Amino acid sequence: MDNLYRDFILEHYRNPHNQGVLDPHDLHYADSNPTCGDEMSMTLRLAADQRTVEDVAFEGRGCAISQASASILTDELRGKTVDELQAMHPQELLDELGVPIGPARLKCALLSYKTLQGALSGGVAEWPEMAEAL
């Protein structure tokens, strides 16, 4: 079963969904993982209600885990409200990855989560507490 999930991550890494930059966009944030050099930016376009995600895109470079997690995360964002996404727990993304993520790779796996939270909050984002255990 682990091979199936590893293949899932590699497929998202090799053929990422939602890659690019939205223009125009309503929300934007860029960040990096200083422990390994992964980089990511995310743009979101909101619906007319200014509370619901209409479209999302990301750009980044880095390891398979960081880029696959962004592809997987952005697949789930359309149609969700800003409030729902701000309340999202980082463990939800880790569960979607489907493979155990060790402490050394948590920041890789959660860079897209942190980038999303930065975009939603207007440019302020901290690493989730679970990623700061290193």
Side-chain angles (χ1 to χ4, degrees), residues 8-29:
F8 175 68
I9 288 173
L10 288 174
E11 178 60 27
H12 273 276
Y13 175 67
R14 291 179 183 132
N15 301 297
H17 304 175
N18 311 303
Q19 193 170 39
V21 176
L22 297 178
D23 186 23
H25 58 266
D26 298 297
L27 303 173
H28 172 262
Y29 190 72

Side-chain angles (χ1 to χ4, degrees), residues 14-104:
R14 291 179 183 132
N15 301 297
H17 304 175
N18 311 303
Q19 193 170 39
V21 176
L22 297 178
D23 186 23
H25 58 266
D26 298 297
L27 303 173
H28 172 262
Y29 190 72
D31 209 333
S32 65
N33 178 355
T35 60
C36 68
D38 293 346
E39 297 177 349
M40 186 162 303
S41 68
M42 193 175 294
T43 52
L44 295 97
R45 185 177 305 131
L46 302 176
D49 67 5
Q50 290 295 295
R51 298 303 302 159
T52 306
V53 175
E54 182 178 271
D55 204 1
V56 59
F58 80 96
E59 282 192 321
R61 72 176 180 81
C63 70
I65 295 286
S66 72
Q67 301 307 295
S69 76
S71 177
I72 293 164
L73 175 65
T74 56
D75 277 348
E76 303 296 320
L77 301 183
R78 284 180 197 80
K80 293 199 174 163
T81 67
V82 169
D83 291 338
E84 289 174 312
L85 296 175
Q86 287 175 320
M88 177 184 172
H89 192 277
Q91 186 63 48
E92 294 176 52
L93 176 57
L94 297 177
D95 292 345
E96 286 292 322
L97 289 173
V99 295
I101 304 294

Side-chain angles (χ1 to χ4, degrees), residues 102-123:
R105 302 305 299 270
L106 273 176
K107 285 186 177 179
C108 299
L110 293 175
L111 179 58
S112 61
Y113 173 86
K114 183 181 180 215
T115 303
L116 170 65
Q117 296 304 320
L120 296 172
S121 68

